[in-house]
Amino acid sequence: AALQRLCWEATEAVLADVNVLILSDRAVAADRVPIPAALATGAVHHHLIRQGLRMQTGLVVETGEAREVHHFCVLAGYGAEAINPYLALETLAAAGVGESGRQAYVKAVGKGILKVMSKMGISTYQSYCGAQIFDAVGLSSALLDRYFTGTSSSIEGAGLEEIALEAVERHRRAFGRSSDILDLGGAYAFRIGGEDHAWTPETIADLQHSVRGNLPDKYRSFAAAINEQSRRLLTIRGLLALKPAGPPVPIDEVEPASAIVRRFSTGAMSFGSISREAHTTLAVAMNRIGGRSNTGEGGEERDRFRPLESGDSMRSSIKQVASGRFGVTTEYLVNADEIQIKMAQGAKPGEGGQLPGHKVDRHIAEVRHSTPGVGLISPPPHHDIYSIEDIAQLIHDLKNVNPSARVSVKLVSAVGVGTVAAGVAKAMADHVTISGYEGGTGASPLTSLTHAGLPWEIGLAETQQTLVLNGLRGRICVQADGGLRTGRDVAIAAILGADEFGFATAPLIAAGCIMMRKCHLNTCPVGIATQDPVLRARFDGEPEHVINYFFFVAEELREIMAALGVRTVDEMIGRPELVESAIPADHWKAGGVDLTALLHSPATDPGVARWNREQRTTGIEGALDSDLIEAAAPALEAGRPVVIEREVRNVDRSVGTMLSGQVAARYGHEGLPAGTIDIRLRGTAGQSFGAFLAHGVALDLVGDANDYVGKGLSGGRIAVRQPEEATRAAGDNIIVGNTVLYGAVAGEAYFNGVAGERFAVRNSGAVAVVEGAGDHACEYMTGGVVVVLGPVGRNFAAGMSGGIAYVYDPGGRLGAQCNRGGIELQPLSPEGWDGRADGAPLDRPVDVWDNGMGDMLRHDAQRLRILIERHERATSSVVARELLADWPKSVGDFIKVLPVEYRRALLDLESHVGNPVTIDRRDRDVPPPAERLRTWSEFVAPPSPQEVARQASRCMDCGIPFCHSGCPVNNLIPDWNDLVSEADWRAAIDRLHETNNFPEFTGRVCPAPCEAACTLNLTDAPVTIKSIECEIIDRAWREGWVRPQAPPRGTGRRIAIVGSGPAGLACAQQLARAGHAPTVFEKSDRIGGLLRYGIPDFKLDKSLIDRRIAQMEIEGVIFRPGLHVGVDVSVERLLDDYDVLVLAGGAELPRDLDVPGRELAGVHFAMDYLTQQNKRVAGDPEAKLATEGMISAEGLDVVVIGGGDTGSDCIGTANRQGARSVTQLEIMPQPPLRENKALTWPHWPLKLRTSSSQEEGCERDFSVVTTRLSGSSGRVEALECARVEWRIGSDGRPQMAVLEGSDFRIKADLVLLAMGFAGARNHAMLAQSGAGLTARGTVDAPF
């Protein structure tokens, strides 16, 4: 009704000649729930369209929902001409960032929208507004048809009612909260209590432990967790249940794992985005098992093309060719078993890859043919591929350069991808990859990570159905890629139509990745996503780890196949009847999902293939190059120069490409000496003339050529000139088509005429002279030199980051034609010579690596003249001759185009970016033992606040913070570390208090498993989390930030809490702040429980407890010490007087030593001993202590039985009391000095630890059991002990056996039993409350 009313009001306003409508949710209040902004916008937009009124008014949306780029894009895409994100702007104002911060936010959002528009090929906001370039996932068609008309949905989903319920729930959470602290969300990075993620600390740890220890059970634990997560609505495949085709088959009849793993490949992660060590580890692993690794779009080092002496190979079987063409040389292509054309990436369709400049070191730059320190960006794919015909041409080019390699096309999962895949199949591709939205690296833009692409299940199912319907399925191999993790994932992918399976994140995690999600920062602490040599040295992954992972996946798949009743993977492919929908019918939001379209199986003739089973021809038979190769045999075989003359026609495509493949296969990138193969042609050349032309091959064409001349030029020389008899002016006529020299790496090109659009895009090393160029010339150029002797079109040098260009501009028009974002325009002078001979350009190229251009920052006039002279010699250009004839005047009419970043990098190639792991760990200062023993007070000296902030800056703010998994109270450690590093201590204490009522206690007594789980602990010293926590809370108390938080109004509910330990106190504080009236009952004489009497003052100053109690009393908590519930006051009485009874007594029953002599005097429970000493320190009179039986270690030989924290506290206490000796006995064997982090991290490791109390004086003995306590006159004098041996029993559990003849005796005057607690005491309180104890000693309450 509200939506309908909104639409009617919009109609009435427009009819009343209102030309701007403002849809606002500012009036939201406790009793007003806003309509979601996107829904309101889409509803009004389409309602007005249906009314024929939309063009008469503008639509402005004022909303508090719009925060991220995607929010703005959706609102604009469904009709919003303007958007006011008032809540985001008010939040910035409240944060005190000022006008500059506001402008920065607006600018960032604007750039984000432009980025989205760019990758969709939309140039103006006006065109984007109302364009609706979205697919819907999980929304019903009924909803879309009415409010988002024209948007497609493949799996149906939630309707208007569900969206309304969600809006109400969101409103309830906002206005029903007792705290102003916002939820963390956890959409972009894992957070405890936030959004569900497949990769969690537990799943990563299980996977790494399984592959590093070759532990199948650990893998099963990992797979179970991942598969269970899928069923928690994280993935579409989680909504499917496997359905057997028949009776199960014996697993030994199922296709072996060794055959299955050949269908696996690793993802396209480029060398540069990840380190050489990680990249080669994946390659070696895949080559060993017969699978395939993928170079990604960053090229591959040439030494990897050759096998290692061990027989291993670091060569990636799949060579990717992306829009950036980084490192794509002819040599690179001929060393491929498969060449993959990257049309797009699942995580970021429409975007190219990006490598920040600080990750482009000399080595990366050499491989990518770029400049160290200059960032690299791949153009969106439409820069060289506009249509299916362009894909077909590139496929043809690649088949020419390497006829033995299969050619793959990587497509993004999207509605309509099936039609594209069919076109790709018809274009002679051998393989197609359907990439899901989960694909992509930690360097992807956040908007892309969550809001771009579709699940591979949708695209794969559509591709399978379309290919089968068109009879094309048998001729092309289909791969599913993006987020595959387990054998079950593989099974679902095969059933939906995949022949092969791509994995990226999972094998990288197997090799050591810990999902930092900081891949772009070059600070990866495990040496994977970094080029820092110090960090790379920390990489410890092995090919065996990756191999183990893939075999685990294959074995899981075999078990599934056996259960389904199929013996081979081929039998599974394209059989949706092997799964059924398993959508939880009672789920309020998922009930509307319909997977019928996903599981549709097209009706076809029985003989139509459903998987790849047909052999195809290459489609290059009869090419002109076959004749050229035969004619060039003397050069190929013996290096003898040859001259070949031929006629060429426009049907002759990729001329010189197959020949260049032969040259590169024999001679590598160096090729043959210049001019060895001289090919002279006449006529009109077809597309891709001279594509991937190798060094030593020269093409001299008299005539003209089509598009893509010199594509990927790899050292060859191309000249295209008009016939001598031609009378037309070369500078007025097109001689080569569009997209010439795209991705050229090296070589020379001279064109006696004008080139079409996109000339020299992504040129990274070629030298070219042309007499005019169309729009977008020199776009994304990263190297080489381009000379234009005539006018250029619009958008010249857009995105240009390297190389230089000289443009003849006598009319001064170049500035208006350039994209000035990152370039400088510099005039030339006739001198152009700075008096220094070093770096001077040469008349001819030196070799394929050195184009003879010299120092790019100097000698411009000399370089320009040399290039024009080369052009005149190659083409007999009249324009060149005229310019040279009047050189002093001509040179002044040229403008040099120089990228700013390129100039900076050339001036300083040694730029270095620091990272957090270069800061050494420094913890709190601890005095020497002799000094510590003189005090009962806390002795740890905290570092300065400045040092604490410095230590906090070591925190990596991990994408998956493993410290969360190690923290018992789920502290938001990375969040407050970040705030401390920025000196925002006030915000840090707020964040710390979100999860921890009493950080001053945990920061002192917790053993800090979070530090063991810290990612830096893998290869370095962990962050000093415990010290930082202490300083945050201590500073907060000093500054007066910790104040009582009395609720504005009470609920009237009275709560009785039994027990005043940490749990009881935290419970009381939370209840008081919620408005209830809690009373805490404590049987001891002071409040604090274990904190008060179980922990010595030298670890926890009791004034900290008193301070908190005082605060809580102001908040309304009543404390009743000295009242033993069940003895002094009955449970029945409490239930009469209070609304709720909370039992928070904790574990109090100590484990006893059941041996002869236990009754002797001088044998005490540790807690009795510690309690007495704590009371003494608190000032209780000795007479009161004596009534409980004096316990003192002064002058005695003390034996502590038990090795935990309580035992350690006994040691510290005994030493301070003046014990003659202290011995600690532990029944367990001595732990190793160091843990094997590969098999333990991030869990709390078993290793030998030495506490500060043990440092102060203690003999430790392990694997010792006490068999008897002996003494005289009723007092203990010695322990009779024996050695024990631990073995693993038949049930898999450790078992203890006493070693014969190992008896020994220890002198003891005082024996302290610190063997832990068996559970709660089964005293009167439990009996009166109706609660008992479980077998484990925990409270078994009936309520």
Side-chain angles (χ1 to χ4, degrees):
L3 269 177
Q4 188 63 58
R5 184 171 62 252
L6 179 67
C7 292
W8 287 342
E9 290 176 357
T11 298
E12 292 172 0
V14 176
L15 293 176
D17 293 331
V18 174
N19 56 14
V20 176
L21 297 180
I22 301 176
L23 304 180
S24 176
D25 57 23
R26 255 189 204 273
V28 61
D31 58 347
R32 292 172 66 91
V33 181
I35 299 172
L39 179 60
T41 304
V44 171
H45 175 68
H46 282 289
H47 175 75
L48 293 177
I49 289 174
R50 285 188 285 268
Q51 297 274 321
L53 301 173
R54 182 64 182 88
M55 300 298 291
Q56 299 179 30
T57 190
L59 202 55
V60 176
V61 178
E62 182 183 54
T63 177
E65 290 186 8
R67 306 177 301 279
E68 303 176 10
V69 170
H70 184 68
H71 301 159
F72 293 90
C73 289
V74 169
L75 293 173
Y78 286 98
E81 276 100 348
I83 302 159
N84 174 20
Y86 67 87
L87 185 57
L89 298 177
E90 290 173 6
T91 301
L92 291 171
V97 298
E99 181 62 22
S100 62
R102 178 182 174 278
Q103 291 178 357
Y105 174 75
V106 173
K107 180 180 180 181
V109 171
K111 290 184 71 174
I113 296 172
L114 288 173
K115 177 80 170 178
V116 173
M117 291 167 52
S118 170
K119 67 184 182 180
M120 299 308 300
I122 296 175
S123 300
T124 67
Y125 186 88
Q126 185 176 12
S127 298
Y128 186 85
C129 185
Q132 302 190 178
I133 41 85
F134 301 95
D135 292 329
V137 180
L139 294 176
S140 70
S141 294
L143 175 82
L144 296 172
D145 290 345
R146 175 139 189 210
Y147 302 112
F148 302 95
T149 311
T151 303
S152 59
S153 175
S154 300
I155 61 171
E156 296 297 317
L160 192 61
E161 181 179 352
E162 289 78 16
I163 291 176
L165 287 172
E166 191 169 50
V168 170
E169 172 61 17
R170 189 164 58 245
H171 182 270
R172 184 195 66 77
R173 291 185 182 182
F175 286 90
R177 295 173 60 92
S178 60
S179 169
D180 292 332
I181 301 296
L182 297 176
D183 292 334
L184 283 175
Y188 296 113
F190 175 87
R191 289 292 185 268
I192 292 288
E195 290 284 334
D196 279 337
H197 287 252
W199 292 113
T200 66
E202 291 75 21
T203 54
I204 290 176
D206 280 345
L207 177 57
Q208 292 190 343
H209 295 167
S210 71
V211 301
R212 291 175 178 236
N214 196 17
L215 304 172
D217 288 343
K218 274 290 185 183
Y219 173 79
R220 291 190 184 95
S221 174
F222 157 77
I226 290 291
N227 294 334
E228 188 276 331
Q229 285 174 336
S230 292
R231 299 185 186 102
R232 282 196 286 117
L233 313 185
L234 288 183
T235 61
I236 291 179
R237 56 189 175 276
L239 302 177
L240 297 172
L242 297 165
K243 184 174 67 174
V249 300
I251 197 166
D252 58 1
E253 295 181 12
V254 175
E255 187 174 351
S258 58
I260 292 173
V261 295
R262 293 177 176 273
R263 296 176 180 263
F264 296 162
S265 65
T266 54
M269 297 168 284
S270 67
F271 170 56
S273 67
I274 62 176
S275 64
R276 173 185 169 94
E277 291 77 11
H279 210 271
T280 55
T281 294
L282 294 176
V284 170
M286 300 313 290
N287 287 332
R288 284 186 191 174
I289 66 176
R292 294 170 184 245
S293 64
N294 193 317
T295 60
E297 58 176 301
E300 188 169 76
E301 300 146 294
R302 303 174 67 224
D303 67 299
R304 293 172 58 179
F305 299 154
R306 298 183 296 274
L308 300 173
E309 292 182 3
S310 64
D312 280 326
S313 173
M314 297 187 295
R315 168 184 170 273
S316 293
S317 296
I318 304 173
K319 301 291 194 293
Q320 193 173 76
V321 175
S323 60
R325 299 291 198 272
F326 296 118
V328 178
T329 66
T330 311
E331 180 188 32
Y332 169 84
L333 295 173
V334 299
N335 279 282
D337 300 323
E338 178 180 316
I339 304 173
Q340 183 180 77
I341 301 170
K342 179 183 177 182
M343 275 299 299
Q345 186 170 314
K348 44 183 180 180
E351 296 178 56
Q354 182 170 350
L355 192 66
H358 57 262
K359 293 185 75 171
V360 184
D361 62 15
R362 292 180 183 273
H363 197 42
I364 300 300
E366 179 184 342
V367 174
R368 296 192 177 212
H369 297 269
S370 62
T371 306
V374 176
L376 300 174
I377 302 176
S378 290
H382 60 256
H383 279 70
D384 71 323
I385 295 175
Y386 306 90
S387 65
I388 198 70
E389 288 81 8
D390 294 321
I391 297 178
Q393 180 58 47
L394 183 53
I395 292 170
H396 182 78
D397 297 337
L398 297 175
K399 285 179 177 286
N400 271 272
V401 77
N402 186 349
S404 64
R406 68 177 185 178
V407 177
S408 171
V409 178
K410 183 175 184 180
L411 303 175
V412 163
S413 178
V415 174
V417 71
T419 302
V420 179
V424 165
K426 293 177 181 179
M428 301 297 290
D430 308 294
H431 183 279
V432 64
T433 294
I434 304 299
S435 184
Y437 75 108
E438 288 186 273
T441 69
S444 295
L446 296 181
T447 299
S448 300
L449 283 177
T450 52
H451 302 300
L454 291 181
W456 56 255
E457 294 93 331
I458 292 175
L460 177 62
E462 181 184 327
T463 297
Q464 173 73 7
Q465 294 164 17
T466 304
L467 292 175
V468 170
L469 277 172
N470 287 275
L472 299 171
R473 184 62 182 86
R475 68 167 71 170
I476 193 167
C477 181
V478 177
Q479 181 187 69
D481 169 76
L484 295 177
R485 303 177 184 93
T486 66
R488 185 181 188 275
D489 290 347
V490 173
I492 298 295
I495 288 167
L496 293 180
D499 300 285
E500 295 182 356
F501 315 94
F503 300 76
T505 304
L508 208 59
I509 287 175
C513 171
I514 51 177
M515 292 292 283
M516 290 290 296
R517 298 187 187 274
K518 298 289 182 293
C519 306
H520 59 297
L521 297 180
N522 206 33
T523 58
C524 177
V526 291
I528 290 179
T530 180
Q531 302 307 321
D532 186 318
V534 175
L535 298 177
R536 284 171 49 196
R538 299 180 178 184
F539 177 75
D540 65 351
E542 298 290 344
E544 289 77 11
H545 302 155
V546 180
I547 292 169
N548 287 343
Y549 166 69
F550 280 120
F551 272 92
F552 284 149
V553 171
E555 290 295 346
E556 182 192 356
L557 177 62
R558 293 182 73 238
E559 293 173 4
I560 292 172
M561 292 166 64
L564 290 177
V566 298
R567 291 174 173 78
T568 67
V569 175
D570 282 346
E571 292 179 51
M572 298 175 67
I573 298 173
R575 293 184 61 189
E577 68 272 15
L578 293 177
V579 291
E580 59 186 353
S581 178
I583 301 168
D586 57 346
H587 191 280
W588 70 276
K589 197 173 179 182
V593 172
D594 183 358
L595 302 180
T596 303
L598 198 74
L599 303 180
H600 173 66
S601 183
T604 59
D605 295 334
V608 174
R610 292 180 178 270
W611 69 90
N612 181 217
R613 63 186 189 188
E614 300 171 12
Q615 294 294 321
R616 304 183 66 183
T617 61
T618 60
I620 60 174
E621 299 79 7
L624 176 61
D625 266 48
S626 299
D627 176 33
L628 298 180
I629 291 170
E630 184 177 349
L636 293 173
E637 295 169 6
R640 295 199 302 271
V642 296
V643 177
I644 305 170
E645 295 185 1
R646 296 288 189 275
E647 294 289 325
V648 66
R649 301 182 300 156
N650 61 4
V651 295
D652 294 320
R653 298 184 292 160
S654 310
V655 174
T657 303
M658 195 186 308
L659 171 63
S660 293
Q662 294 283 327
V663 172
R666 287 173 165 86
Y667 301 101
H669 184 56
E670 289 82 357
L672 292 164
T676 301
I677 303 177
D678 185 1
I679 302 174
R680 301 171 185 177
L681 303 167
R682 297 186 71 88
T684 297
Q687 290 191 327
S688 298
F689 178 72
F692 305 107
L693 199 69
H695 190 260
V697 182
L699 295 179
D700 181 15
L701 171 64
V702 177
D704 53 15
N706 219 304
D707 297 341
Y708 301 118
V709 174
K711 174 192 299 185
L713 185 65
S714 293
R717 181 176 177 275
I718 300 174
V720 182
R721 52 196 172 93
Q722 63 182 20
E724 294 82 353
E725 63 273 15
T727 58
R728 61 181 180 267
D732 296 334
N733 289 276
I734 299 288
I735 197 166
V736 289
N738 295 324
T739 327
V740 171
L741 295 178
Y742 190 96
V745 171
E748 302 173 86
Y750 304 100
F751 302 115
N752 180 208
V754 178
E757 295 183 0
R758 301 196 188 278
F759 179 80
V761 173
R762 269 299 300 117
N763 176 30
S764 61
V767 171
V769 182
V770 66
E771 298 183 13
D775 296 343
H776 316 293
C778 297
E779 227 180 354
Y780 292 98
M781 185 166 145
T782 62
V785 182
V786 169
V787 177
V788 185
L789 304 181
V792 297
R794 298 171 302 163
N795 204 37
F796 185 85
M800 181 178 177
S801 62
I804 55 176
Y806 300 101
V807 179
Y808 185 61
D809 186 36
R813 297 181 60 251
L814 179 63
Q817 299 296 90
C818 282
N819 186 314
R820 305 288 289 271
I823 60 170
E824 295 176 346
L825 301 183
Q826 301 175 352
L828 298 189
S829 63
E831 294 77 22
W833 175 256
D834 65 2
R836 286 186 283 176
D838 58 309
L842 303 176
D843 186 56
R844 298 183 183 279
V846 177
D847 54 28
V848 72
W849 306 104
D850 184 354
N851 57 22
M853 291 291 96
D855 185 342
M856 294 291 203
L857 297 182
R858 297 193 293 272
H859 318 309
D860 291 308
Q862 185 178 2
R863 178 181 304 107
L864 178 60
R865 181 176 185 121
I866 287 173
L867 288 174
I868 296 176
E869 288 172 347
R870 288 189 193 179
H871 179 63
E872 196 277 331
R873 286 196 299 269
T875 65
S876 301
S877 166
V878 174
V879 173
R881 194 175 308 125
E882 291 174 349
L883 290 171
L884 292 170
D886 191 8
W887 182 245
K889 178 181 182 303
S890 300
V891 72
D893 289 330
F894 277 92
I895 299 294
K896 179 181 181 179
V897 181
L898 178 67
V900 175
E901 279 297 290
Y902 183 60
R903 176 171 57 80
R904 177 200 57 76
L906 291 178
L907 291 172
D908 182 12
L909 292 178
E910 302 300 326
S911 59
H912 176 71
V913 177
N915 59 67
V917 296
T918 61
I919 302 174
D920 293 332
R921 173 186 166 106
R922 183 182 173 189
D923 209 345
R924 294 174 287 188
D925 293 328
V926 179
E931 183 179 334
R932 302 201 300 256
L933 288 175
R934 292 196 293 267
T935 180
W936 289 97
S937 302
E938 288 186 14
F939 52 77
V940 174
S944 67
Q946 294 76 16
E947 181 59 32
V948 171
R950 188 168 178 268
Q951 291 298 312
S953 71
R954 296 183 72 235
C955 178
M956 306 292 287
D957 189 22
C958 309
I960 295 184
F962 289 86
C963 52
H964 278 195
S965 68
C967 181
V969 296
N970 297 333
N971 276 335
L972 306 174
I973 296 166
D975 302 76
W976 41 258
N977 271 340
D978 183 53
L979 293 167
V980 169
S981 70
E982 296 176 356
D984 192 351
W985 295 90
R986 184 65 182 267
I989 186 59
D990 292 340
R991 188 61 86 193
L992 179 54
H993 267 149
E994 281 188 54
T995 57
N996 193 336
N997 289 74
F998 313 122
E1000 63 267 45
F1001 304 156
T1002 57
R1004 285 167 168 82
V1005 303
C1006 179
C1010 54
E1011 293 191 14
C1014 175
T1015 55
L1016 288 182
N1017 191 40
L1018 263 176
T1019 54
D1020 198 354
V1023 175
T1024 56
I1025 298 171
K1026 191 171 174 178
S1027 297
I1028 297 168
E1029 180 181 4
C1030 278
E1031 180 58 25
I1032 292 172
I1033 184 61
D1034 290 349
R1035 179 172 184 142
W1037 279 105
R1038 291 194 303 269
E1039 299 287 346
W1041 298 333
V1042 183
R1043 298 174 180 174
Q1045 298 180 29
R1049 57 185 180 275
T1051 65
R1053 293 177 64 82
R1054 303 179 71 225
I1055 316 294
I1057 301 170
V1058 182
S1060 68
L1065 292 177
C1067 178
Q1069 187 174 66
Q1070 291 298 106
L1071 290 171
R1073 290 177 175 179
H1076 306 303
T1079 299
V1080 178
F1081 294 85
E1082 169 58 54
K1083 65 184 177 183
S1084 298
D1085 59 342
R1086 290 184 177 89
I1087 296 298
L1090 176 68
L1091 296 170
R1092 176 72 67 179
Y1093 290 135
I1095 300 172
D1097 283 66
F1098 56 79
K1099 284 180 63 176
L1100 177 65
D1101 190 322
K1102 300 308 182 289
S1103 66
L1104 303 180
I1105 305 173
D1106 297 332
R1107 185 173 63 184
R1108 274 292 181 183
I1109 291 172
Q1111 177 202 32
M1112 292 171 65
E1113 286 178 329
I1114 298 174
E1115 292 176 336
V1117 180
I1118 299 172
F1119 293 101
R1120 301 289 300 277
L1123 275 177
H1124 193 168
V1125 176
V1127 177
D1128 301 323
V1129 58
S1130 68
V1131 171
E1132 183 179 6
R1133 171 72 181 274
L1134 291 182
L1135 290 175
D1136 287 340
D1137 294 346
Y1138 294 89
D1139 299 298
V1140 176
L1141 173 63
V1142 178
L1143 304 182
E1148 297 179 283
L1149 183 64
R1151 289 194 177 91
D1152 207 344
L1153 188 65
D1154 187 15
V1155 298
R1158 169 63 180 87
E1159 74 284 356
L1160 292 171
V1163 182
H1164 302 277
F1165 287 119
M1167 291 307 298
D1168 294 337
Y1169 173 64
L1170 294 174
T1171 298
Q1172 190 180 101
Q1173 176 58 34
N1174 282 329
K1175 287 185 175 183
R1176 184 182 289 114
V1177 174
D1180 286 3
E1182 293 292 327
K1184 182 177 179 180
L1185 299 177
T1187 62
E1188 301 174 1
M1190 285 289 295
I1191 311 172
S1192 174
E1194 184 176 3
L1196 303 181
D1197 294 310
V1198 180
V1199 173
V1200 178
I1201 301 178
D1205 286 341
T1206 302
S1208 180
D1209 293 342
C1210 289
I1211 295 168
T1213 301
N1215 280 320
R1216 281 166 176 77
Q1217 288 180 342
R1220 182 166 53 232
S1221 69
V1222 181
T1223 302
Q1224 185 178 35
L1225 304 180
E1226 298 188 40
I1227 196 170
M1228 299 303 294
Q1230 179 174 329
L1233 294 177
R1234 294 180 179 84
E1235 75 271 35
N1236 181 354
K1237 292 180 180 178
L1239 298 179
T1240 60
W1241 182 88
H1243 304 312
W1244 183 249
L1246 179 65
K1247 68 176 181 178
L1248 186 65
R1249 292 179 173 83
T1250 302
S1251 69
S1252 60
S1253 292
Q1254 289 164 339
E1255 287 178 348
E1256 292 163 0
C1258 170
E1259 292 292 331
R1260 303 173 69 183
D1261 206 350
F1262 298 88
S1263 297
V1264 175
V1265 63
T1266 302
T1267 58
R1268 183 183 184 88
L1269 298 171
S1270 60
S1272 62
S1273 303
R1275 184 165 187 83
V1276 69
E1277 293 179 344
L1279 285 76
E1280 308 292 340
C1281 303
R1283 301 286 177 188
V1284 298
E1285 183 179 48
W1286 289 90
R1287 298 170 182 165
I1288 301 299
S1290 58
D1291 60 355
R1293 303 178 67 181
Q1295 296 180 352
M1296 183 185 76
V1298 177
L1299 296 176
E1300 293 187 20
S1302 65
D1303 299 340
F1304 65 99
R1305 180 184 176 91
I1306 300 177
K1307 187 177 184 304
D1309 304 309
L1310 176 62
V1311 178
L1312 301 175
L1313 306 181
M1315 301 177 292
F1317 298 90
R1321 291 187 188 273
N1322 193 2
H1323 48 53
M1325 180 189 69
L1326 295 179
Q1328 294 175 18
S1329 65
L1333 294 178
T1334 66
R1336 295 180 59 243
T1338 57
V1339 176
D1340 186 14
F1343 36 79

